[in-house]
Every structure is written in structure tokens, then in C-alpha cells.
Amino acid sequence: MAKKGLRKGIFITFEGVEGCGKSTHARLIYRYLKRCGYPCIYTKEPGGTKVGRMIRQILLSPKNAKLDDMTEFFLFEASRSQIVSEVVTPALKKKNVVICDRFFDATMAYQGYGNGLDKGIIDKMNRLATGGLKPHLTIVLDIDSKKGLYRASRKNGKDRMERKAVSYHKRVRRGYAAIARKDPRRVKLIATRKKTSETQKLVKREITNVISRYSISG
Ligand SMILES: Nc1ncnc2c1ncn2[C@@H]1O[C@H](COP(=O)(O)OP(=O)(O)OP(=O)(O)O)[C@@H](O)[C@H]1O
Ligand SMILES: [Mg+2]
């Protein structure tokens, strides 16, 4: 497949509650875009950098059940600022498609809607950690919180976030729906279907829309 060029880098993020299928669909899209000939990278938050992976361990280890809400918030933002400067910004400068599994909307949904931290402060911290960088497109995969938690727990046991109460995860889901309503141009909420392939078709439609806007070959 011939290499395809982009007029500029495109930043796409995947969001949603535990087990909604973010990683599954982000990876499928990554492979699809590669097959199409687009320069593309896949990364994830928290993680994606050496420092980020160390922070991820602190955040997700069930051993840290006592992690304070504010500490949790700062650690997510710290991991974010690292991934932006080390991975996302350089790749966008090289006109790549950057696919990121979770980004700043996760902090609004989890720490804001889930934990009740001040949303204005979260907005400011998100801007500080990202230097104002915003995704061109954000896919929120919507699934019943309980169903998602069940799917996620089948993988390798429950991490610290997955151990939180179902009521918390329901607030997170409602948070994502509110985020999508507030910014409908950027954030597309997709109700997941039974079959991965059916959901992937809907995801692909949104991705193709945004890529075609910046593709040199049209
Ligand atoms: N349509 C589907 N039907 C049944 N199982 C699915 C479907 N899509 C994904 N899964 C499974 O659900 C689990 C969670 O999917 P995935 O890891 O992609 O979700 P995630 O949103 O990245 O989860 P996490 O929040 O834990 O990172 C995986 O085991 C995956 O194989
Ligand atoms: Mg995942």
C-alpha cells in the first residue's frame, strides 16, 4: 500500500468506562490506518512513556487503596504532561495520526464526575498538563457500567480503579455522556453493539471523516 500523507498531524483519543472496548477499537483502528498507508502511532494513558508506566503502577495497584483523591488527580495530570511532551507533540509535528487510549476527558469523567472534584480546576489543570493541546476527535464508547466492569475484570483481575463501587462507575458513565453533549463537534459518543465488528464500523466512519479532512490525496 502506497504511503499516504497528511497536511498535519491528527490527534484521536478513545474514552469510556472500564471494559467498554477502548483498547480493542483503538488497536483495530491503528492497524487499519497502517494498512491504508497512514503514518500512525498508538499510545495510552496513563503510561505511554517510562515515567508514565511508573505512575500507572502507582495508580492502578490495588495495594494503593489509600491513594488520596487529590494525589490521584495530580498523578494522572503528571503522566499526561509527560506523554504530551515526549510522545504526542513530536509525533503530531511529524504529521502522524496519534491514537491515544484515554486522555484528558478521562480526568473530567473520573475525578470530576466520579470523585466530585471541582470541574473548573480540572479544566485548568488539563490545559496546563497538555499545553492547550486538544484531540481533533474523541470517541467515547458507551456501555452499561456493570457490563463493562465484568468484561474488564475477566482480563487479569481487578485493578484499583475497577475495585471502586458500581455507583462511582455509573457517575463516570454519566460524566462521559455530559462531556459528549458539551462538545459534540469533537466528542462522538458511540453506543457499543454486541458484535465488535458492528461497533468498529461506527468507529471507522468517524475516523474516516476526520482523516479525509486532512489527507493530501483527498
Ligand atoms: N463486543 C464485545 N463483546 C464481548 N467482549 C468484548 C467486546 N469488545 C471487547 N470485548 C472484551 O472486553 C474486554 C475489555 O475490552 P478492552 O480491553 O478493549 O476494553 P477497555 O475499554 O480498553 O478496558 P480497560 O478500561 O480495562 O482498559 C476485553 O477482554 C475484550 O476482549
Ligand atoms: Mg484498555
Side-chain angles (χ1 to χ4, degrees):
M1 175 61 72
K3 284 234 180 312
K4 289 212 174 103
L6 293 165
R7 276 185 283 127
K8 59 179 207 168
I10 304 176
F11 187 26
I12 299 169
T13 57
F14 280 79
E15 297 277 1
V17 296
E18 313 297 318
C20 64
K22 295 174 293 296
S23 306
T24 303
H25 288 283
R27 288 204 186 98
L28 284 172
I29 288 297
Y30 168 75
R31 278 188 236 133
Y32 167 70
L33 292 176
K34 279 269 179 198
R35 277 203 307 277
C36 292
Y38 289 106
C40 191
I41 67 157
Y42 167 85
T43 190
K44 69 173 177 185
E45 232 208 41
T49 63
K50 191 173 168 221
V51 169
R53 281 187 289 280
M54 293 169 93
I55 296 176
R56 184 183 179 91
Q57 271 188 356
I58 302 175
L59 281 165
L60 299 187
S61 169
K63 283 186 201 153
N64 296 332
K66 278 190 184 161
L67 200 72
D68 176 76
D69 284 356
M70 209 50 91
T71 311
E72 177 184 286
F73 170 47
F74 291 143
L75 285 174
F76 276 115
E77 296 293 2
S79 156
R80 183 159 304 136
S81 105
Q82 190 66 32
I83 204 175
V84 167
S85 64
E86 195 179 322
V87 178
V88 181
T89 303
L92 290 175
K93 275 194 184 141
K94 288 187 203 149
K95 299 185 181 176
N96 277 264
V97 182
V98 177
I99 295 173
C100 195
D101 197 333
R102 291 195 186 279
F103 197 57
F104 61 37
D105 295 306
T107 297
M108 188 55 83
Y110 282 77
Q111 283 70 50
Y113 288 87
N115 278 344
L117 296 190
D118 185 299
K119 296 186 183 67
I121 290 176
I122 292 179
D123 244 344
K124 280 189 189 143
M125 281 291 282
N126 277 345
R127 259 180 279 148
L128 199 64
T130 59
L133 177 72
K134 268 194 177 184
H136 295 92
L137 171 68
T138 297
I139 304 280
V140 173
L141 296 169
D142 186 51
I143 192 172
D144 172 71
S145 300
K146 239 180 168 173
K147 203 167 160 186
L149 280 170
Y150 173 70
R151 275 189 191 173
S153 69
R154 279 187 314 182
K155 280 184 294 182
N156 346 308
K158 289 184 179 178
D159 66 35
R160 193 185 62 87
M161 300 300 283
E162 289 162 1
R163 281 167 194 239
K164 296 192 184 212
V166 176
S167 55
Y168 167 83
H169 290 284
K170 285 188 173 167
R171 289 197 296 278
V172 173
R173 183 189 186 195
R174 285 198 294 274
Y176 273 123
I179 290 166
R181 276 196 303 275
K182 278 186 195 158
D183 196 353
R185 268 177 64 87
R186 172 178 69 87
V187 186
K188 308 292 174 188
L189 189 128
I190 293 177
T192 53
R193 306 298 172 95
K194 260 205 184 116
K195 279 192 175 166
T196 304
S197 59
E198 282 177 25
T199 310
Q200 178 64 193
K201 220 183 258 177
L202 301 173
V203 173
K204 226 182 232 177
R205 191 185 300 162
E206 299 295 346
I207 304 278
T208 313
N209 265 343
V210 81
I211 301 247
S212 63
R213 261 186 260 152
Y214 300 105
S215 184
I216 287 171
S217 45

